[in-house]
Structure formats: structure tokens, C-alpha cells
Amino acid sequence: AFNRVINKTGELLQTQRMARIVFENSLEGITVTDANSRIQLVNKAFSDTTGYTAEEVIGKTPGLLKSGKQGEDFYTNFWDALQRDGEWRGEIWNRRKNGVVYPELLTISAVRDGTGRVQNYVALFTDITAIKEHESQLERIAHYDPLTGLPNRLLCVEQMRQAMAHCQQAQHALAVVYLDLDNFRAINDSYGHDAGETMLVELAQVMKNVLRDGDMLARIGGDEFVAVITDLAQPQDAYPVFDRLLRAASHPVAVRSAAHATQLTLHVSASMGITFYPQDNVDADQLLRHAD
């Protein structure tokens, strides 16, 4: 019997040692709190991610990590779910010791005693900053022109639909302007693609700058742009914007021509087609075609 006790004790110590090894070497941050959410234990990954040492957080609550990006409703729903289900899993924004806000994937579970009372909460989390950045890059690739940074055709149509819905509610109009740079291909042919790209980038910025707040400029083709002029009490309110767009499109641009090994100042003119919604009462794709 004595030997069995000794063996059981040895097995228990071995299990505790293994648990400690897993705890300290986990790539996930681990936080153990008491029933009142006071931190009792954290592992190395917690400190690596948050910047706080164990000594700095033990006895405090995880609230010291709050980023302020989520309102009280978020935390109310969080605690309601934890009390109801005994666990919660989701994304949360926290703040490192150095003030940097970061996203994490968090799983938190309640640990209960034999009577069902909560003894501890155990939280495991992973910093998902890299994942979020990758998602943002994919989102940008899908919706923005890589050269000018303007919305592409897909995002243009999405934003047009939103603007059309807003105009219906406000009983206003919007104008869709299809703008084509005249003879732009000759710039590429004569001075090289680098010169052409320089012109596109600068003209895109100049045209965007002459629009009003709430208006949109998109690049939907090589030398084709679309401007959406919103919240018009009457169509003629957009005429000054049309004039500014035409002047902006002919803005002189200084370029470096590799083909001519010199600095040049170039400019083009532009042609535009215009349609108004809801006078032209069709969907967003058809509005683009009509303006074209």
C-alpha cells in the first residue's frame, strides 16, 4: 500500500511537471484568474505578446489590457455568454504595455468545483495581427487600383449602390461621370510606360482633390476614371464639379522619360460622359454603361 502511494505521488508530480512544461512553452498566451477575475498565473507567451511581466499583472484584472475599441455592450454580451455557456470564443482588441492596440483570438473557459461554482477562468489567446494585415491586403487588392490607390470598378459599383440608396431616402440626385483621357496611349508609346504611370498617379490625385467631400473617384481601366457626384439638390449643382474635373485632367505633369533621357512636362485633355440618377432610373452597372 505504501509503495502504491509512493507511485501515485510520483505520477502526480510527473503530471504536474508536464503541465508546467506545456504551460510555459505554449505558443498561445495563457491567463488564469480566480472567480473574481484577479490574475493568478500567466505564461511566457502572455508576457511576450502583451509586454507585461507576471509580476506586473498578478492580482490585477485583464481589464488593464482593454483597448477602448469595443464598447460596454461588447463586454456585457461577453460576460453574459461566459456565465450562460461557461465559455466564450471570438476576436477581441487589446492593448500592449507600450500602447499598441492589437487583435487577438481569445478562448476563455470557466473552471468549476464539484458543486458547480466557478473557481477559475482560463483564457488562451493568439495575436492575429499578421492574419488581419493579410486580410487587409487581400481586401485592398480586391477593391483598389494598385497604381493610383483609387477604388476599382468592383468597389465603385458597390459605393454607387450605397449612394443611390441614400439619394432615394434624401430625394436627391447623383451624377455618374465617365472620364476618358484623350490620346493617352500616345504618352506610353512616345515616352514610355513609366512616364504614363507617373501621369496617371498625379492626375488621379489632382482630380480627386477637386471633388467635394462625399464624392468618389475610381479608376476602372487604363485611362478611364469614374466620378460619382452625390447629394445633388438638382442636377445643375454638379456642373462646377464637371468643369473642375476637366481642368484637373489637363493639369501639366512633370515626368522623367527614360526613352528621351530628359525631364518633360506633359498634359492631356479628357472627354466625359454623364448621366444622372434617378432621372436615369437604372441599376449601378447600367449607369456606368450609360455614362460611357
Side-chain angles (χ1 to χ4, degrees):
F2 178 76
N3 287 337
R4 284 198 297 272
V5 170
I6 293 297
N7 289 338
K8 288 293 184 183
T9 302
E11 290 172 2
L12 178 60
L13 291 173
Q14 180 65 15
T15 300
Q16 291 174 336
R17 282 195 294 269
M18 291 299 295
R20 191 69 183 177
I21 290 172
V22 172
F23 181 82
E24 288 299 336
N25 291 279
S26 172
L27 297 179
E28 291 184 297
I30 302 175
T31 311
V32 181
T33 74
D34 61 18
N36 296 314
S37 297
R38 296 289 173 182
I39 296 173
Q40 295 179 315
L41 287 173
V42 295
N43 68 346
K44 182 177 181 297
F46 171 95
S47 297
D48 291 343
T49 301
T50 67
Y52 288 100
T53 65
E55 292 76 15
E56 290 175 310
V57 299
I58 287 176
K60 299 179 181 177
T61 72
L64 88 164
L65 300 173
K66 277 187 178 181
S67 66
K69 289 195 68 168
Q70 286 136 329
E72 289 306 313
D73 286 348
F74 172 85
Y75 293 101
T76 298
N77 294 333
F78 167 92
W79 278 107
D80 286 347
L82 187 57
Q83 298 302 315
R84 181 183 65 249
D85 304 326
E87 62 181 12
W88 184 88
R89 179 181 173 85
E91 293 182 8
I92 189 170
W93 289 86
N94 274 337
R95 187 183 302 275
R96 308 186 206 275
K97 183 181 178 180
N98 63 7
V100 173
V101 174
Y102 71 99
E104 66 181 39
L105 182 62
L106 171 67
T107 300
I108 183 168
S109 303
V111 179
R112 303 181 186 275
D113 62 17
T115 67
R117 295 180 61 183
V118 174
Q119 284 187 313
N120 302 96
Y121 293 104
V122 178
L124 287 79
F125 66 88
T126 302
D127 183 343
I128 56 172
T129 299
I131 295 174
K132 287 292 186 183
E133 288 175 349
H134 183 60
E135 289 175 352
S136 179
Q137 290 171 356
L138 293 177
E139 175 78 9
R140 186 155 192 86
I141 290 170
H143 290 98
Y144 289 89
D145 171 49
L147 178 64
T148 63
L150 295 176
N152 62 14
R153 185 186 187 94
L154 177 63
L155 183 56
C156 176
V157 171
E158 289 179 6
Q159 294 189 350
M160 281 176 61
R161 289 175 182 143
Q162 295 173 13
M164 290 162 68
H166 175 74
C167 284
Q168 284 181 332
Q169 294 175 349
Q171 296 185 328
H172 283 176
L174 65 78
V176 178
V177 182
Y178 200 104
L179 190 144
D180 191 355
L181 301 180
D182 298 328
N183 300 316
F184 184 77
R185 183 176 296 179
I187 299 292
N188 285 330
D189 292 344
S190 299
Y191 303 106
H193 287 283
D194 287 346
E197 289 184 351
T198 298
M199 284 200 73
L200 284 172
V201 170
E202 184 160 342
L203 291 181
Q205 189 60 51
V206 174
M207 288 190 289
K208 182 179 177 182
N209 289 342
V210 303
L211 297 180
R212 309 163 310 156
D213 291 342
D215 296 340
M216 179 193 67
L217 182 69
R219 183 187 179 209
I220 62 170
D223 57 2
E224 297 170 327
F225 296 83
V226 167
V228 181
I229 317 301
T230 63
D231 283 328
L232 300 171
Q234 48 192 359
Q236 53 265 41
D237 291 344
Y239 294 175
V241 183
F242 302 157
D243 291 336
R244 293 200 299 269
L245 276 171
L246 285 174
R247 288 198 299 271
S250 63
H251 176 77
V253 179
V255 301
R256 178 74 183 174
S257 171
H260 293 73
T262 186
Q263 188 85 8
L264 302 169
T265 299
L266 305 175
H267 66 87
V268 294
S269 58
S271 303
M272 62 168 58
I274 303 159
T275 191
F276 292 93
Y277 176 86
Q279 290 90 332
D280 189 3
N281 194 14
V282 293
D283 64 26
D285 287 300
Q286 287 180 295
L287 280 174
L288 281 181
R289 287 196 292 272
H290 291 177
D292 185 20

